[in-house]
Amino acid sequence: MPKRIISIIVFPGSNCDRDLAIAIQNHLNVKTQYVWHDNSKIDNYEMIFIPGGFSFGDYLRAGVLATKSPALGEVIRLAKKGVPIIGICNGFQILTECNLLDGTLMNNKNQLFICDKSYLKIENNKSIFSKNLKKSVVQFPIAHAQGNFFASNDSLKELEDNNQIIFRYCSKQGVINEKNNPNGSLNNIAGITNKQKNILGMMPHPERAINKFDDQDGVLFFNGLKELL
Amino acid sequence: MIYRVYINYKKGILDPESEAIKKTISNMGFKSLKNLSKGKFFDIEISEKKNGLKEIEKISKDLLSNPVIENFKIIKK
Amino acid sequence: MIYRVYINYKKGILDPESEAIKKTISNMGFKSLKNLSKGKFFDIEISEKKNGLKEIEKISKDLLSNPVIENFKIIKK
Amino acid sequence: MKKISQKTIKEHGLSKNEYSLINNILKREPNILELGIFSVMWSEHCSYKSTKKWLKTLPTSGKSVICGPGENAGIIDIGDEDAIVFKMESHNHPSFIEPYQGAATGVGGIMRDIFTMGARPIANLNSLRFGAPKHPKTKNLLSGVVKGIGDYGNCVGIPTVGGECFFHESYNNNILVNAMCVGLVKKNKIFYSTAKGIGNPIIYVGSKTGRDGIHGATMASAEFDDQSESSRPQVQVGDPFMEKLLLESCLELMKEDAIIAIQDMGAAGLTSSSFEMASKGSCGVKLYLDLVPCREENMSPYEMMLSETQERMLMIVKPTKKKLTIDIFRKWGLEAVEIGEITNTGNMEIFFKKNLVGKLPIKPLAESSPEYDRPSKKPKTIKKKGNYKNFSIKDALVKIISSPNHSSKKWIFNQYDRSVMCDTIFSSEESDAAVVRVHNSNKAIAITCDCNPIFCNSNPKLGAAIGVAESWRNLISSGAEPIAITDNLNFGNPEKEEIMYQIKEAIEGIKMACEVLKYPVVSGNVSLYNETNKKSIIPTPVIGGVGLIKKLSHAKGFKMNFGDKIFLVGESLGHLELSELNRICNKNTGKPPPLDLKKELKNGLFIKNFIKKHHSVVSGCHDLSDGGLILALAELVLKNKKGIKVKIPKNVKKIKEWFFCEDQSRYIIIVKNEKELISSAKINEINLQEVAIVDGNSFSIINQFEISVKKLISYNNTWFKRFVQI
Ligand SMILES: Nc1ncnc2c1ncn2[C@@H]1O[C@H](COP(=O)(O)OP(=O)(O)O)[C@@H](O)[C@H]1O
Ligand SMILES: [Mg+2]
C-alpha cells in the first residue's frame, strides 16, 4: 500500500498548486506532496492532481507544452493503471492535450479571459468524483481564457452516451441553456471523465470555494473524494 | 534547411476569433467580405540532415497542431 | 478572390512564445533544431472587385496586424 | 573618439547647463555611452529633478512605517512580524503607443518592485484614465489596456482586485495607466538594494537583453553606430511566464542566506539598477558587457546599458553562494550569469571587448543630479457659459448611472482573475476598498486607489487632499484602519508655469491631508509631460491607500439584507459645484466641495470604531463620493439586487441638493439594528440621519418615484456592453 499522500504535479507557471494543496489538506484530511514536472517517477499515487495556472506560460496552446514534461509521461502510465486523476482548469487543458481526456478547450467565445462565479449542474452523480456531492447544483468560480469545450460529433456522442459528462454550466436554479454558458462550451460542458471514469477534468475551481467568505461548495467536492482513499 | 508548417482549423470548426474579426470588418464598412479564416505558421530551421522532413512531421503532429481541431501542412522553403 | 495575409513579428521583438516552443522541442530530443519563429495568416475571401487589394491592405494595417510590433505581407491566392 | 554634437546632447534631453555639469563631474567630455547613461540617470523619470524639492516635504514616517520612499517600494508593519510592501507606477506613454504590451509591462514592472524586496505579491490594482468615449482611439486603447493588465497578472497568478476607470477628453492623446501592487513579507526577510562587499559578484538573471524600449535618444546614437538599422526604439514586450519564474526563483533564493542586494531592472535597465545599488552602498562596480546575455546580435554597450527589456533582475550575492544561486535559477529554467563585481573605487567601470569603454563616478552622478525649483503660476480660470440643462431627480439618477463613468465596469473586472490565491474577500466591486486576507491568518488588508481629477483641475491642492481623504474613507468603510499611501502624480509639462503650479499645489494638498489623517506617504511615482500638441491632461494625482483589518469579521462591503436600515453619517451642506449632477447639466465650473480634515478624522474614526465594536450589527458600509447620496444608494441596490425605500427626513429642505451634493466626510452605514448606532452617534456628537430601509424590489423614494431593480441594473449595464461591442 502506498503512503497516504496525494501528489500535485507542478509545472513552471502553475499557480493554483498552493491553493489546491490547502483544500486537499483541510477537506480531504490527507497530506500532499508537490511533484516537480521534471520527475519521471511519482512515488505517491493514490490520487494525482494537476493544478490550474499557466504551465509554460500557456504558450502555443494552453497545456500543450506541459504534456512533454517527464512527469506527464508517468501520469499517463498511472492513469492507464486506474489511478484517480483530477485536472482543474489548466490541468483539464493538459489532460485533453495529452489525450487522456477527449475533446479540447478552445478560446472563450467572447475572446476574453473570464473570471466569474459559475453554477454547475451535477450531470452524473454516480461517478467516483461526484457521487458524494450531495447537491444537484454547485457554485465554483471560473477563471480562464480557454475553457470553451469542443469535441468532434463522434466524441461528443460517446461522452454523452457513456455518462462521461460530470458538470454542465447552468443557472442558479439548474437551467442549462445558452444564456448560462459563460464560454461557449459545447452542450455547456464544464467537466468530463474518461471512458474508464478514473480521470476527471474540469474548468471551474473547487479549491477556490472553500473559505468562509466564499460560497463553500468546494468543501463538498473535496469531502466527497474521501471514499477514494 | 527551413520548413514552414502551416496550421489551420479543420473544416466545420467554428473559430470564435475569426468570427469576431469578420464581424468587425463588416462593421468597419467593408461590404465585400465573403469569408475569413485564420491560421498560424512556424518557420523551423534545422541543420541539414537526411530525415529532416520526418522530424518536422513528428513535431507538427505531436506538438504544433491539435488534431482535434487543426490540420497541418509542411512545405520546404 | 482570396487573399492571404501573412503576419509576423518585426525583427528584434521579443517573442517569448517561440522561445518556449523551441525549448520544448529540444527537450523532446530533436537536437537539430536551429531556429523557430512563429506567425499567423488570414485567408480572406472577397467578392470580385477593382480595388480589392487596397481594401485588404487597409484591413491588414488597421485591424489584422499591430504595426508597432508586426509586419504583414499580402499575396493573392 | 567622436565629439558629441549639440544635436546629440539635445536629443538626449539634456540642457546646456546639464551638459557642462557633466563635463565638470568627469573633468572631460563624455563619450556617447557615458552621455547616454547621464541622460537616463538625469531624466525626469529617474532623477525627479522637477519634483524632488516638493516631494521631500511629504510626511513619510509614522509608527507603522518600516521603509519610506527611496527603495523599490514602501513597507509598513501590520503586526505579528508581517509587513506589507506596496507601490504604484505609471506606464502611460508606452500604453498609448501599444496598449496591450504597455499595460502588461506596467503590471510586470510594479510586481518586480515588490518581489525584489522579498515580498510575495498578493494583490494588483490599477487606475485608468481614457479619453472621451467618442474619440476614435478610446475603444482600442481600453480593450488593449484591460486585456494587457489582465493577461499579465492572471498568468503570474496574482489577483487583480480593484481599480478605477474614468473617461475624460483631456486624456484623448495621453491615457493614464497606473498600476499598483501589494506584497506580503515577514519583517525579518526584507531585502534592500544597498550593495556591499568588495569583490562580490554581480549576477544577472531573467530575459536576454534586446533593443527594447531603448531611450528615444537611441536614434541619435545611430551617428556613432553605422550598423544600427535595427536600433530604432522598440516596444517592450512582456513575458509574464518569465516573470512568474523570476518571482518563484527569487523567493526561493531569498530563503537562503545568499543575496546581499537585489534590484529589478526597470526604467533605464542595467544602468539605473547598477548605479542605484552601488550608490546606496558607496561602492564602485565593474561591468563586463560581453557577459550580458543578449537576444540580438551586435548589441553595442550603449544599447546594453540603456535597454529596457523586461523581466530582468540584478543582484549581488555572497561569493560562497554563487553556485547555489546559479543552481536555484537553473531549477526554474533560468540562466544566471555573473556580469561584474563590486569594487572600492567609487566608479562605474564598463568593459567591452577587453576595453574600458566608460568610466563614471557614481556618487557625484547620483548626488549632483539636477534639482529644479521651476517657476509656477496660478492659471487663470476660464468661465464658460453653456447651455444649462435641468433634470428631475429621477432622470438625473438614470442619466448618471447609465453614463460611461458610472456604468458597470463588469466587462473590465471580469477579465481580471480576482479569485486566484484564495484570499480575496472583496474585490473592488464589492466594497469601497478591496479586501485581501493575509494568508493563513484571521486578518486582512484593505486597498484602494482614488483620484478625482475634475476637482484637482479646479483646485489642485483641495482636489489632491480630497483624493487622500477619499482613499482614507474607502479604507474606513471596508472596516480597516488606514495606514499609509503610495501616490502616482500624473501631470503635464513641468516647464510650464501653470503645470508646475498644479504639481506644487497637489503635493501640498497631499501633505496637508496626510498629516492630519496620520496617513504617511511611503512610496510613489511621478509621471510628467503627459501632453500632446500642447494639450495637457488635467492634473491626476492618484492615491493608493492601504489599511489593516485586524479581524476578518470586521471586513465590510456593500452588503445589505432585507429589513436592514440605512443611515447617513456626516453633514450634507448642499455643495453642487463640480458635482456629477452639475456636470450632466452642463455646468462645469466652480469649486470642489470644502474639506474639513478634522471632521473627516472625526467621522472616520467614529465609523471605524463602530464597526470594530459592533461588527455583527453592521451589514455593510459605503462612503459618499461623486454622485452623492443618491448614487451611493443606487449602487447598493445594484450590487445587492435588492430594493430600498428611501424616506427623505423632514428637516431636509433642498431635496435635490441633499441627494446629489458631494460634500465630503460622509458615509452610509447599513445596520441590522439601529439602537447602538443612534446612541453612539449621540455620545460622539456625530451627524446621523436615517434615510432608507432595505425592502422590496425597487429603488423607491417615497413621494417621489420608483425604479425597479431590474430596470436600474439594465441602465447600469447597457453603456459599457454597447461600447465595447461596436
Ligand atoms: N510622488 C512620490 N511620492 C513619494 N515617493 C516617491 C514619489 N515618486 C517617487 N517616489 C519614490 O522614489 C523612489 C524611486 O522611484 P522610481 O524611480 O519610480 O523607482 P523604480 O526605479 O523602482 O521604478 C521610490 O522609492 C519611490 O517610492
Ligand atoms: Mg525598482
Side-chain angles (χ1 to χ4, degrees):
Chain A
M1 240 333 244
K3 280 176 285 168
R4 296 176 73 81
I5 297 179
I6 286 180
S7 287
I8 300 173
I9 317 289
V10 184
F11 301 92
S14 294
N15 64 30
C16 303
D17 40 335
R18 182 192 77 176
D19 304 342
L20 191 53
I22 292 171
I24 295 169
Q25 288 160 19
N26 292 348
H27 301 290
L28 204 47
N29 293 323
V30 56
K31 288 202 176 119
T32 57
Q33 153 189 301
Y34 295 126
V35 177
W36 186 236
H37 73 113
D38 64 358
N39 288 340
S40 47
K41 200 161 171 312
I42 300 173
D43 293 327
N44 298 294
Y45 50 78
E46 220 167 331
M47 197 189 306
I48 296 173
F49 277 83
I50 309 181
F54 288 71
S55 55
F56 296 92
D58 269 4
Y59 290 131
L60 188 56
R61 293 186 306 279
V64 66
L65 298 185
T67 64
K68 308 302 172 199
S69 285
L72 232 300
E74 180 73 351
V75 169
I76 293 172
R77 195 179 68 83
L78 294 170
K80 303 223 155 111
K81 283 175 58 178
V83 170
I85 293 170
I86 299 179
I88 297 170
C89 198
N90 197 226
F92 186 11
Q93 294 161 339
I94 292 170
L95 291 172
T96 60
E97 279 290 352
C98 70
N99 297 323
L100 284 178
L101 292 174
D102 279 339
T104 190
L105 295 143
M106 298 175 63
N107 280 348
N108 293 345
K109 196 173 168 195
N110 70 355
Q111 296 300 304
L112 302 172
F113 188 97
I114 301 172
C115 174
D116 211 343
K117 290 180 172 176
S118 73
Y119 292 98
L120 305 169
K121 177 104 191 257
I122 317 299
E123 195 65 15
N124 167 348
N125 58 11
K126 306 239 157 44
S127 87
I128 54 170
F129 304 109
S130 56
K131 66 177 177 195
N132 294 322
L133 259 169
K134 295 194 182 103
K135 273 187 168 181
S136 57
V137 174
V138 290
Q139 189 197 81
F140 299 150
I142 49 168
H144 57 246
Q146 277 114 26
N148 178 354
F149 183 82
F150 175 83
S152 68
N153 285 339
D154 294 348
S155 305
L156 185 65
K157 187 164 181 320
E158 260 187 61
L159 288 171
E160 298 272 9
D161 291 351
N162 279 325
N163 289 323
Q164 285 168 250
I165 296 161
I166 308 295
F167 301 112
R168 286 188 218 265
Y169 300 107
C170 64
S171 71
K172 195 171 181 176
Q173 289 75 27
V175 181
I176 296 165
N177 58 18
E178 203 37 51
K179 195 171 154 249
N180 293 295
N181 184 348
N183 52 23
S185 289
L186 213 53
N187 297 2
N188 287 43
I189 292 175
I192 59 170
T193 65
N194 59 339
K195 210 168 181 176
Q196 291 69 37
K197 303 213 170 75
N198 65 316
I199 307 174
L200 170 69
M202 60 194 294
M203 288 314 294
H205 287 275
E207 81 282 13
R208 297 190 190 181
I210 60 165
N211 286 302
K212 273 207 224 80
F213 47 85
D214 300 322
D215 300 280
Q216 284 181 284
D217 288 347
V219 173
L220 301 178
F221 177 82
F222 289 100
N223 270 332
L225 300 173
K226 274 183 184 155
E227 230 175 79
L228 286 174
L229 296 174
Chain B
M1 262 194 307
I2 301 184
Y3 291 92
R4 175 169 282 188
V5 183
Y6 287 99
I7 294 174
N8 59 3
Y9 284 107
K10 285 186 173 163
K11 234 179 126 171
I13 303 280
L14 189 75
D15 165 29
E17 186 176 355
S18 298
E19 291 307 307
I21 295 172
K22 250 173 12 202
K23 216 165 138 193
T24 311
I25 292 179
S26 56
N27 285 345
M28 283 164 73
F30 296 99
K31 295 297 164 221
S32 47
L33 181 71
K34 282 166 67 180
N35 213 345
L36 178 143
S37 69
K38 201 198 134 179
K40 52 191 170 181
F41 65 86
F42 296 90
D43 286 335
I44 307 179
E45 191 183 343
I46 57 172
S47 44
E48 214 66 41
K49 61 188 300 194
K50 251 207 340 252
N51 47 6
L53 184 63
K54 272 254 166 65
E55 288 204 348
I56 301 287
E57 255 168 23
K58 191 162 162 46
I59 293 172
S60 304
K61 196 162 144 273
D62 290 355
L63 182 73
L64 299 178
S65 74
N66 178 351
V68 180
I69 47 173
E70 292 169 334
N71 291 318
F72 68 89
K73 200 173 100 188
I74 303 171
I75 60 155
K76 200 169 160 184
K77 274 191 89 173
Chain C
M1 263 194 303
I2 300 184
Y3 291 92
R4 175 168 283 186
V5 183
Y6 287 97
I7 294 173
N8 60 3
Y9 284 117
K10 285 188 175 164
K11 213 178 125 201
I13 293 282
L14 173 71
D15 178 10
E17 180 162 23
S18 295
E19 288 305 311
I21 299 171
K22 235 159 49 187
K23 231 176 177 170
T24 303
I25 292 179
S26 59
N27 286 344
M28 284 165 72
F30 297 97
K31 295 298 164 216
S32 47
L33 181 70
K34 281 164 69 180
N35 212 345
L36 180 142
S37 69
K38 199 200 115 189
K40 53 187 173 182
F41 65 87
F42 294 91
D43 285 334
I44 308 179
E45 191 182 345
I46 57 172
S47 43
E48 214 64 40
K49 62 188 300 194
K50 253 211 333 256
N51 46 6
L53 184 63
K54 272 252 167 66
E55 289 204 347
I56 302 287
E57 255 167 24
K58 191 161 161 48
I59 294 173
S60 304
K61 201 163 137 271
D62 293 354
L63 182 71
L64 302 177
S65 77
N66 177 350
V68 184
I69 53 177
E70 292 170 333
N71 293 317
F72 67 88
K73 202 174 96 188
I74 303 172
I75 61 155
K76 200 168 159 184
K77 275 191 84 174
Chain D
M1 192 177 87
K2 266 194 195 164
K3 209 174 138 53
I4 306 272
S5 69
Q6 290 299 323
K7 185 164 159 261
T8 309
I9 295 167
K10 200 163 160 226
E11 278 165 346
H12 278 75
L14 292 161
S15 70
K16 272 199 189 125
N17 278 339
E18 288 168 348
Y19 188 69
S20 45
L21 194 57
I22 292 173
N23 283 308
N24 286 342
I25 290 174
L26 293 180
K27 304 193 179 67
R28 62 178 165 85
E29 290 211 9
N31 62 30
I32 183 70
L33 168 65
E34 293 163 337
L35 183 79
I37 290 177
F38 267 102
S39 88
V40 295
M41 288 302 291
W42 286 5
S43 68
E44 191 62 58
H45 185 89
C46 288
S47 76
Y48 295 92
K49 55 191 171 192
S50 304
T51 52
K52 215 185 316 183
K53 185 174 158 71
W54 312 104
L55 291 177
K56 279 184 204 154
T57 65
L58 291 171
T60 59
S61 56
K63 69 174 195 327
S64 299
V65 179
I66 296 176
C67 170
E71 273 287 340
N72 284 303
I75 310 182
I76 54 173
D77 193 338
I78 55 160
D80 316 312
E81 297 305 304
D82 295 319
I84 291 291
V85 181
F86 66 102
K87 184 172 183 244
M88 194 168 359
E89 197 153 271
S90 62
H91 231 207
N92 302 339
H93 191 62
S95 302
F96 184 73
I97 304 292
E98 207 322 271
Y100 179 84
Q101 295 295 347
T105 52
V107 173
I110 191 63
M111 282 202 273
R112 280 193 300 288
D113 272 339
I114 302 308
F115 70 75
T116 299
M117 304 201 74
R120 179 174 285 280
I122 58 170
N124 283 322
L125 287 90
N126 54 81
S127 171
L128 310 178
R129 301 286 183 283
F130 296 99
K134 61 175 191 292
H135 188 273
K137 287 209 166 103
T138 300
K139 198 190 128 194
N140 272 339
L141 290 168
L142 171 75
S143 325
V145 164
V146 170
K147 193 165 177 7
I149 290 174
D151 282 0
Y152 203 101
N154 298 347
C155 180
V156 181
I158 311 302
T160 302
V161 295
E164 44 168 10
C165 173
F166 178 82
F167 301 90
H168 186 273
E169 60 190 15
S170 88
Y171 307 105
N172 279 354
N173 289 302
N174 292 280
I175 62 170
L176 302 183
V177 175
N178 292 180
M180 176 171 173
C181 182
V182 180
L184 176 67
V185 66
K186 281 287 169 198
K187 257 166 84 175
N188 61 352
K189 283 281 175 197
I190 298 170
F191 286 79
Y192 294 100
S193 60
T194 305
K196 273 195 286 260
I198 313 303
N200 281 345
I202 301 176
I203 307 278
Y204 169 118
V205 67
S207 289
K208 290 180 176 163
T209 300
R211 295 187 170 96
D212 327 13
I214 293 180
H215 191 250
T218 319
M219 288 308 222
S221 76
E223 299 177 30
F224 305 88
D225 176 13
D226 290 334
Q227 27 150 330
S228 39
E229 183 265 326
S230 52
S231 74
R232 73 203 124 80
Q234 284 184 332
V235 178
Q236 307 154 31
V237 171
D239 180 0
F241 176 52
M242 176 62 89
E243 179 102 341
K244 170 75 174 165
L245 300 179
L246 278 179
L247 163 67
E248 297 300 339
S249 55
C250 286
L251 291 182
E252 186 171 328
L253 179 60
M254 283 162 168
K255 288 187 192 140
E256 311 289 337
D257 184 26
I259 298 175
I260 293 171
I262 176 165
Q263 171 83 22
D264 63 302
M265 292 190 232
L270 191 50
T271 295
S272 71
S273 54
S274 52
F275 258 95
E276 275 167 32
M277 286 203 282
S279 160
K280 284 192 184 130
S282 306
C283 19
V285 287
K286 276 186 180 158
L287 291 179
Y288 302 98
L289 295 186
D290 305 276
L291 302 174
V292 170
C294 285
R295 191 171 82 232
E296 294 180 69
E297 284 169 12
N298 298 322
M299 287 196 50
S300 67
Y302 181 100
E303 290 168 330
M304 284 187 232
M305 289 304 291
L306 269 56
S307 160
E308 292 194 347
T309 296
Q310 300 289 299
E311 291 95 16
R312 299 179 300 161
M313 307 288 283
L314 201 63
M315 62 196 79
I316 296 162
V317 302
K318 294 188 175 159
T320 51
K321 296 288 168 76
K322 205 166 85 185
K323 184 170 174 301
L324 174 82
T325 302
I326 289 170
D327 286 348
I328 286 180
F329 285 120
R330 182 166 301 142
K331 175 192 148 188
W332 288 95
L334 303 175
E335 198 191 345
V337 191
E338 179 176 351
I339 62 161
E341 61 181 307
I342 299 298
T343 67
N344 61 359
T345 61
N347 290 323
M348 169 174 282
E349 295 162 279
I350 302 167
F351 295 89
F352 186 58
K353 297 192 170 148
K354 303 222 165 73
N355 292 320
L356 180 68
V357 292
K359 184 174 171 188
L360 300 150
I362 288 169
K363 274 265 151 168
L365 195 158
E367 278 169 12
S368 42
S369 69
E371 178 176 326
Y372 297 125
D373 182 357
R374 298 193 189 276
S376 64
K377 198 172 77 193
K378 188 173 178 175
K380 284 197 209 84
T381 40
I382 314 151
K383 280 242 161 80
K384 265 190 290 189
K385 249 197 136 7
N387 280 332
Y388 295 164
K389 289 180 212 147
N390 216 343
F391 293 100
S392 69
I393 294 179
K394 179 181 175 189
D395 291 349
L397 171 66
V398 169
K399 192 157 165 77
I400 291 172
I401 62 160
S402 327
S403 71
N405 284 332
H406 290 285
S407 71
S408 164
K409 306 288 191 310
K410 190 169 173 182
W411 182 86
I412 297 181
F413 59 70
N414 270 10
Q415 293 186 56
Y416 301 152
D417 191 340
R418 289 156 287 150
S419 52
V420 67
M421 291 182 97
C422 297
D423 287 317
T424 307
I425 295 175
F426 297 124
S427 46
S428 68
E429 74 275 12
E430 301 168 307
S431 169
D432 281 319
V435 176
V436 178
R437 176 175 64 178
V438 172
H439 193 64
N440 222 347
S441 80
N442 190 36
K443 62 185 178 186
I445 55 162
I447 322 158
T448 170
C449 17
D450 299 281
C451 176
N452 184 327
I454 301 290
F455 290 173
C456 294
N457 193 37
S458 151
N459 181 337
K461 185 160 150 190
L462 180 52
I466 287 176
V468 174
E470 187 178 343
S471 85
W472 197 77
R473 231 160 26 232
N474 284 339
L475 298 178
I476 295 270
S477 312
S478 71
E481 177 169 339
I483 299 185
I485 64 164
T486 180
D487 63 14
N488 206 328
L489 308 177
N490 305 279
F491 292 89
N493 179 354
E495 293 161 46
K496 290 188 178 160
E497 296 181 349
E498 287 82 6
I499 303 290
M500 198 57 223
Y501 174 85
Q502 295 173 342
I503 299 172
K504 274 165 66 174
E505 288 286 300
I507 294 177
E508 180 62 26
I510 294 173
K511 170 178 181 272
M512 210 168 71
C514 288
E515 276 171 357
V516 177
L517 300 173
K518 300 205 172 50
Y519 193 32
V521 184
V522 296
S523 61
N525 183 254
V526 178
S527 168
L528 303 180
Y529 299 96
N530 289 293
E531 64 175 57
T532 300
N533 297 332
K534 310 229 157 90
K535 270 206 137 127
S536 162
I537 60 163
I538 53 179
T540 315
V542 179
I543 305 298
V546 176
L548 174 65
I549 297 174
K550 287 202 175 118
K551 290 201 176 110
L552 293 190
S553 54
H554 301 174
K556 297 296 164 195
F558 299 141
K559 210 169 154 61
M560 61 188 195
N561 303 307
F562 285 120
D564 286 353
K565 291 196 168 160
I566 302 178
F567 284 81
L568 172 62
V569 172
E571 257 182 299
S572 310
L573 304 170
H575 187 97
L576 281 184
E577 281 179 10
L578 297 182
S579 68
E580 210 51 60
L581 175 69
N582 269 17
R583 284 158 53 213
I584 60 163
C585 297
N586 215 11
K587 293 180 203 157
N588 289 306
T589 53
K591 294 199 223 30
L595 175 68
D596 176 345
L597 286 162
K598 293 251 169 61
K599 194 154 82 183
E600 186 71 58
L601 195 64
K602 186 176 161 200
N603 292 352
L605 294 180
F606 170 75
I607 296 279
K608 190 191 92 176
N609 293 331
F610 188 81
I611 292 178
K612 219 166 159 180
K613 198 152 162 217
H614 303 284
H615 55 86
S616 54
V617 172
V618 181
S619 298
C621 188
H622 189 6
D623 83 309
L624 266 57
S625 57
D626 39 347
L629 174 64
I630 198 162
L631 194 69
L633 292 169
E635 282 165 353
L636 292 179
V637 171
L638 290 167
K639 307 282 175 185
N640 287 283
K641 302 191 168 89
K642 292 190 179 100
I644 59 172
K645 288 202 164 50
V646 182
K647 194 168 164 215
I648 304 166
K650 285 206 185 65
N651 58 349
V652 170
K653 300 270 141 46
K654 296 182 167 171
I655 294 175
K656 213 173 198 177
E657 275 83 349
W658 186 70
F659 272 126
F660 288 95
C661 74
E662 298 189 7
D663 287 301
Q664 296 296 295
S665 320
R666 297 184 300 155
Y667 299 81
I668 44 187
I669 184 163
I670 307 142
V671 290
K672 298 192 174 81
N673 178 326
E674 68 269 38
K675 216 176 78 213
E676 291 91 348
L677 184 65
I678 291 173
S679 66
S680 353
K682 204 164 193 179
I683 296 168
N684 291 288
E685 298 175 340
I686 295 287
N687 248 302
L688 186 73
Q689 281 176 316
E690 181 176 340
V691 294
I693 54 166
V694 185
D695 184 23
N697 47 20
S698 64
F699 181 97
S700 98
I701 299 179
I702 296 167
N703 297 328
Q704 295 271 339
F705 64 86
E706 191 173 321
I707 305 174
S708 76
V709 174
K710 251 197 173 145
K711 240 185 173 158
L712 204 67
I713 292 175
S714 111
Y715 289 134
N716 188 236
N717 281 341
T718 312
W719 183 83
F720 227 98
K721 252 193 222 149
R722 251 191 228 146
F723 181 64
V724 293
Q725 264 166 15
I726 314 165

